[in-house]
Amino acid sequence: MEKAVEGRLHLADLITGEEAFLVKVLGHGAFRKRITEMGFIKGKRIKVIKNAPLLDPIEYELLGYRITLRREEAALIEVVKTKELSADSGAVFNGTLSEDYIRHTVTERSHNISVALVGNPNSGKTTLFNYATGKRERVGNYSGVTVDLKEAQIEYQGYKITFTDLPGTYSISEYSPEELYVRQYIAQSAPDIVINVVDASNLERNLFLTTQLIDMNIRVVMALNMYDELEARGDSFDYDTFGKLTGIPVIPTTASKGKGIKELLSKVIGTYENREPTARHTHINYGPDIEASIIQLRTEILANKEIPDLFYSRHIAIKLLEDEKTTIKYIASVVGTGKLLEMAKDETQKLEKLYGEKTETIIADAKYGFINGALRETYAQNEGDRIQKSHSIDTVLTHKYLGFPFFFAFLWLTFQLTFTLGSYPTELIDNGVSALGQVIKNSMAEGSLRSLIVDGIIGGVGGVVVFLPNILILFFCISLMEDTGYMARAAFIMDRLMHKIGLHGKSFIPLIMGFGCNVPAIMATRTLENRKDRLVTMLILPFMSCSARLPVYVLLISAFFPNHRGGVLFSIYLIGILLAILMALLFKRVIFRGRDVPFVMELPPYRMPTLRSSTRHMWSKSVQYIRKMGTVILAASVIIWALGHYPKSDNIENSYIGRAGHFIEPAIAPLGFDWKIGVSIVTGLAAKEIIVGTMGVLYQSESDHSGSNLTMKDRLTEQYYTSGPRAGEKVFTPLSSYSLMLFILIYFPCVATLAAIKKEAGMRWAIFTSVYTTAVAWLVAFIVYQTGSLLF
């Protein structure tokens, strides 16, 4: 079994001869009771005597007697090694540790609290995580933002609290990968406390997950999030009484503003220390018939000592009655459970015959009955106008005919703002970079060092830093659409079109995320239930133009399309979307044939985005961009400069990089590219920002200009072919620039994206993606350039 909590030590991790002190016993039911009665309590010393021939079970010495435990049971006991205490201790005397020191240290270790955040998508879970821990993880007003666990640690009131932000899920059944992932994490990692983040504006739907946590018999504290929205509607909720009914302490929070966070942390500590009077174990009453079946199955589960105490016995019984395949497979893997599985099958058939429904539906109805009963006693709605403003907004933004024009208008406006607002700071930075290069050039003696600094570092890195304002504006606009809830509407209006290509609207969310970065977008495909949908979405995601390509677009469009900047950029992104649609159609009809999965997705209420959230989102992306400039792009710029500087010659074409560029030039000449563009494309395989950095180095070369203080944009407009049939012609024209932008849009995803595809789908799909996208890029650029040359 895996280690229960990363970074913590468990009894199963010790090797023969090692000693440790007990810190905490995890697990459920008979095991925990039996093990505690045998002396497995905090502060007791235990020693590993030996492993069985097959390494399981393991023999230990405790309180002067020998005991054997299975490895999976030993993994549920947290310990601290004796030698670790000795190394840290100033209380060692004659080779022994004082009891006071042991008690103090073990108590200190028990002041480490592991907390898992569990909640529905769009409940504000990650926002709460960010505010409580000071992190800047991605948030959005739509489902599927958290696609993997995030961890952070804080110190509060003398406790070290480790937070784990789990993927959003509507339940912990087996319908989707994230549901199983969350349930397995809770069972295997055994967090001390689960914070159930509940959207106060949609209690009934959110509380279904709460009932499943109750069934698991774990310690839960509820963060009643977005409580300000409940109050703004004029509703009232007696959450103290609700907590007493469910045995779950409840704290109202507004995570986006930091309200209730400290009170929530205090409640977590109180629950952990067993001094919270509201916290108690409760059962949901499923009615006499279902309860009778649960009791029978629990009796059989507890009688079978081979069944691990990973899950609470009542939880297992309920899942068996629901005929859940994952639980059945789990129990079937244990020796001697044939009778239990046969009994579960009989009880399930009996209940389905009695109720005329599937047991899964029967139990879900009972859960909602429990929720409705609890809310009737504690929750009162304002009897005024209950129609939300978002519904009236949706009559326009999700309209059958108006939805698409509004969506494309928002995209066009985003790109127009990226240019118009970004042009002023971009021009200032560009002039500043050029001036800096000129100052250093004038103040240093001619030589390789000056060339390295001016042509390599300033020309390469400076060529990329110029476009930081455009990146910030693009991400700010995308953040606004996410935080308001419009992204979910975009998925809704795109559902019909996505259905035509064999996908559904939920696939549109990762595609939209791809406009920021393809890597988290690839990971976000985990929220898709169907593997074929996940693969198709991954394969077409590289056509979604990520922010790394934006500097190339901004540079070329500013230089060659000054009067139509927003429209040209919009057309590039639109072509990427159209290509994704065409390739998805091809893949679905040739490789991934199969039935479509029904479209089920929440439309969250519109929310006013906070400046804090939007700027955090924007800043986190800018930090990534700046970090890449100081590492990958800097290193690439120096390497490219060296290859272009040596062997020294009056003509850069005689350098190593010039020779390599001329070698590949025949393959790219039909696309309207010269050898320098070819070299830039090759270096862009690692990261697309490097393309601009490479251009900055190659077109900054001292052999090309002597002392001219030109911006990067000006240098491109002055590039001419120096040899061959096109000698004297300009290298960059509007047509060749457009062809180049399309090629960069489509070809070979960056190394990080390919690594993400390899991780999620396997090496063969990563290789396939790199080959087919490059082939499509060459074909599209060839058609555009050759057709344009004939027409214009």
Side-chain angles (χ1 to χ4, degrees):
M1 180 181 158
E2 299 176 6
K3 289 172 68 175
V5 180
E6 192 66 32
R8 295 188 177 188
L9 187 72
H10 297 84
L11 196 55
D13 303 319
L14 301 181
I15 61 175
T16 300
E18 282 192 314
E19 289 188 348
F21 289 96
L22 300 172
V23 175
K24 188 187 304 179
V25 177
L26 309 172
H28 291 281
F31 164 74
R32 187 168 184 168
K33 183 175 185 295
R34 173 170 58 91
I35 213 78
T36 304
E37 290 172 350
M38 295 178 72
F40 283 78
I41 57 177
K42 184 167 65 177
K44 295 300 179 183
R45 186 192 300 259
I46 189 166
K47 182 179 181 180
V48 184
I49 302 301
K50 64 175 178 292
N51 284 266
L54 296 178
L55 303 180
D56 206 1
I58 307 170
E59 183 179 346
Y60 298 96
E61 183 178 80
L62 175 73
L63 298 177
Y65 69 94
R66 302 290 176 89
I67 183 174
T68 60
L69 293 176
R70 288 178 297 176
R71 185 168 291 276
E72 59 189 355
E73 292 176 334
L76 294 172
I77 301 172
E78 190 178 325
V79 298
V80 56
K81 289 182 182 179
T82 304
K83 61 182 182 182
E84 288 183 8
L85 294 186
S86 300
D88 297 338
S89 173
V92 179
F93 181 73
N94 290 333
T96 63
L97 292 164
S98 70
E99 288 189 13
D100 287 342
Y101 179 74
I102 293 170
R103 192 180 303 109
H104 169 75
T105 305
V106 172
T107 300
E108 190 178 72
R109 289 295 180 106
S110 66
H111 275 216
N112 294 342
I113 308 175
S114 59
V115 174
L117 296 175
V118 177
N120 282 195
N122 200 47
S123 60
K125 187 168 48 60
T126 301
T127 303
L128 192 150
F129 174 83
N130 286 340
Y131 215 107
T133 64
K135 289 285 186 178
R136 292 184 175 87
E137 297 298 340
R138 181 185 180 89
V139 296
N141 189 14
Y142 58 93
S143 66
V145 178
T146 305
V147 292
D148 205 349
L149 62 82
K150 313 281 193 316
E151 287 190 341
Q153 190 178 84
I154 66 168
E155 292 194 12
Y156 186 77
Q157 293 183 0
Y159 290 80
K160 288 182 180 178
I161 305 176
T162 301
F163 286 90
T164 301
D165 181 22
L166 294 171
T169 178
Y170 294 106
S171 71
I172 40 179
S173 300
E174 60 176 3
Y175 180 64
S176 66
E178 64 264 27
E179 293 180 359
L180 278 176
Y181 181 84
V182 171
R183 187 170 76 188
Q184 286 300 113
Y185 178 86
I186 293 173
Q188 293 182 350
S189 297
D192 298 313
I193 302 290
V194 167
I195 294 181
N196 180 203
V197 185
V198 170
D199 179 358
S201 66
N202 201 339
L203 285 171
E204 187 173 7
R205 198 276 318 281
N206 276 243
L207 290 173
F208 184 81
L209 177 59
T210 307
T211 63
Q212 293 180 316
L213 295 175
I214 291 173
D215 286 340
M216 291 186 76
N217 187 21
I218 54 181
R219 291 196 285 183
V220 179
V221 173
M222 182 181 294
L224 193 63
N225 202 28
M226 294 178 264
Y227 193 71
D228 55 337
E229 293 187 14
L230 182 147
E231 293 179 315
R233 293 203 310 247
D235 296 350
S236 62
F237 183 41
D238 185 355
Y239 50 84
D240 286 330
T241 300
F242 181 85
K244 292 173 184 176
L245 290 172
T246 58
I248 298 175
V250 181
I251 293 293
T253 63
T254 304
S256 61
K257 300 175 183 176
K259 292 183 178 179
I261 304 297
K262 290 183 178 179
E263 292 84 353
L264 179 67
L265 295 177
S266 298
K267 193 68 71 172
V268 164
I269 293 171
T271 303
Y272 174 75
E273 292 289 358
N274 295 316
R275 49 185 169 78
E276 174 53 49
T278 305
R280 62 187 176 87
H281 176 54
T282 59
H283 284 166
I284 294 171
N285 192 324
Y286 291 103
D289 300 314
I290 299 175
E291 286 295 332
S293 297
I294 291 173
I295 290 170
Q296 283 203 42
L297 294 180
R298 279 195 73 191
T299 303
E300 183 63 26
I301 291 167
L302 294 172
N304 191 324
K305 302 301 180 185
E306 297 299 316
I307 298 177
D309 285 286
L310 195 60
F311 294 97
Y312 182 48
S313 57
R314 180 178 172 88
H315 171 73
I316 296 175
I318 292 169
K319 289 301 174 186
L320 288 174
L321 284 178
E322 290 179 331
D323 196 28
E324 191 190 69
K325 300 298 182 287
T326 303
T327 302
I328 292 172
K329 184 179 178 180
Y330 167 72
I331 295 298
S333 67
V334 179
V335 176
T337 54
K339 180 182 176 182
L340 171 62
L341 292 173
E342 194 61 37
M343 182 186 294
K345 185 177 179 182
D346 292 341
E347 292 298 320
T348 299
Q349 290 175 348
K350 182 177 73 176
L351 290 171
E352 288 180 348
K353 185 177 179 181
L354 180 64
Y355 286 88
E357 290 273 9
K358 287 284 186 183
T359 47
E360 183 180 6
T361 304
I362 301 167
I363 291 173
D365 286 345
K367 287 181 184 296
Y368 276 111
F370 171 83
I371 293 167
N372 289 331
L375 290 179
R376 270 199 302 269
E377 295 188 34
T378 58
Y379 181 54
Q381 289 186 346
N382 178 15
E383 294 302 323
D385 185 8
R386 302 292 303 170
I387 300 176
Q388 297 184 19
K389 293 180 181 179
S390 61
H391 292 168
S392 49
I393 298 173
D394 277 341
T395 57
V396 177
L397 294 186
T398 62
H399 189 269
K400 184 177 180 180
Y401 301 111
L402 298 177
F404 278 105
F406 271 108
F407 172 63
F408 288 115
F410 287 142
L411 284 184
W412 178 85
L413 182 61
T414 295
F415 301 137
Q416 193 66 37
L417 288 173
T418 298
F419 270 108
T420 53
L421 293 182
S423 61
Y424 304 106
T426 296
E427 190 171 343
L428 286 174
I429 297 173
D430 199 3
N431 291 330
V433 168
S434 299
L436 176 62
Q438 194 63 40
V439 168
I440 293 176
K441 183 181 289 188
N442 294 336
S443 60
M444 290 184 68
E446 185 176 351
S448 296
L449 180 59
R450 186 180 83 169
S451 178
L452 170 62
I453 296 174
V454 175
D455 301 334
I457 297 175
I458 296 178
V461 178
V464 179
V465 74
V466 164
F467 304 103
L468 180 59
N470 304 99
I471 296 286
L472 292 175
I473 293 168
L474 176 66
F475 275 117
F476 187 77
C477 292
I478 292 176
S479 176
L480 287 178
M481 286 194 284
E482 290 176 345
D483 295 345
T484 56
Y486 180 72
M487 281 299 190
R489 271 72 186 179
F492 176 79
I493 64 175
M494 291 295 289
D495 175 53
R496 187 170 183 181
L497 179 59
M498 299 296 284
H499 182 75
K500 294 289 185 184
I501 64 175
L503 297 172
H504 59 65
K506 200 172 181 181
S507 295
F508 191 66
I509 293 297
L511 295 178
I512 284 290
M513 288 175 67
F515 286 145
C517 179
N518 286 171
V519 175
I522 295 290
M523 296 172 63
T525 59
R526 296 176 186 174
T527 61
L528 304 176
E529 290 81 12
N530 183 281
R531 174 169 169 78
K532 290 181 178 180
D533 285 351
R534 288 201 296 274
L535 285 172
V536 173
T537 307
M538 273 186 254
L539 291 177
I540 65 175
L541 252 168
F543 295 120
M544 300 297 105
S545 188
C546 67
S547 61
R549 298 173 172 104
L550 186 62
V552 187
Y553 303 154
V554 174
L555 174 62
L556 295 174
I557 292 172
S558 298
F560 301 103
F561 303 94
N563 299 323
H564 307 283
R565 293 179 298 182
V568 173
L569 184 62
F570 175 70
S571 72
I572 295 293
Y573 279 77
L574 187 59
I575 288 171
I577 294 171
L578 293 176
L579 280 172
I581 290 170
L582 291 174
M583 295 310 299
L585 279 170
L586 180 64
F587 290 143
K588 270 291 188 175
R589 292 183 180 180
V590 176
I591 305 177
F592 302 107
R593 295 181 180 179
R595 296 179 60 186
D596 296 337
V597 177
F599 174 55
V600 180
M601 186 176 176
E602 175 191 7
L603 285 182
Y606 286 102
R607 293 194 171 99
M608 184 64 69
T610 63
L611 185 61
R612 176 192 178 94
S613 172
S614 298
T615 51
R616 265 192 166 186
H617 186 187
M618 181 183 70
W619 175 244
S620 66
K621 294 301 177 184
S622 67
V623 167
Q624 293 177 23
Y625 189 72
I626 294 168
R627 188 180 295 124
K628 193 178 288 187
M629 283 189 291
T631 53
V632 177
I633 295 169
L634 175 60
S637 298
V638 172
I639 292 170
I640 293 159
W641 168 84
L643 293 174
H645 189 71
Y646 298 103
K648 289 187 176 182
S649 171
D650 292 335
N651 193 335
I652 193 174
E653 296 187 37
N654 296 324
S655 66
Y656 294 124
I657 206 166
R659 296 169 191 176
H662 281 294
F663 177 77
I664 64 175
E665 191 171 23
I668 59 174
L671 314 182
F673 307 158
D674 73 340
W675 69 267
K676 292 183 182 179
I677 295 176
V679 169
S680 301
I681 288 170
V682 172
T683 59
L685 298 179
K688 295 299 180 282
E689 297 97 334
I690 296 177
I691 295 173
V692 171
T694 305
M695 287 182 170
V697 173
L698 295 179
Y699 296 125
Q700 183 84 12
S701 174
E702 290 179 309
S703 60
D704 288 336
H705 295 94
S706 54
S708 56
N709 184 22
L710 297 176
T711 64
M712 182 70 170
K713 182 172 65 175
D714 297 330
R715 292 181 185 278
L716 294 187
T717 59
E718 291 192 359
Q719 293 301 309
Y720 293 89
Y721 286 96
T722 57
S723 60
R726 301 187 60 186
E729 293 182 20
K730 282 195 171 187
V731 173
F732 288 95
T733 64
L735 180 59
S736 65
S737 299
Y738 198 78
S739 173
L740 176 58
M741 286 189 288
L742 289 178
F743 189 90
I744 291 169
L745 163 72
I746 305 165
Y747 91 115
F748 199 97
C750 70
V751 172
T753 299
L754 288 179
I757 294 175
K758 175 182 175 291
K759 180 182 178 183
E760 299 296 324
M763 177 61 81
R764 67 189 183 109
W765 290 115
I767 294 172
F768 175 75
T769 303
S770 63
V771 173
Y772 103 82
T773 53
T774 304
V776 172
W778 193 94
L779 183 62
V780 170
F782 176 82
I783 292 172
V784 168
Y785 183 74
Q786 294 298 330
T787 304
S789 297
L790 291 174
L791 294 176
F792 304 112

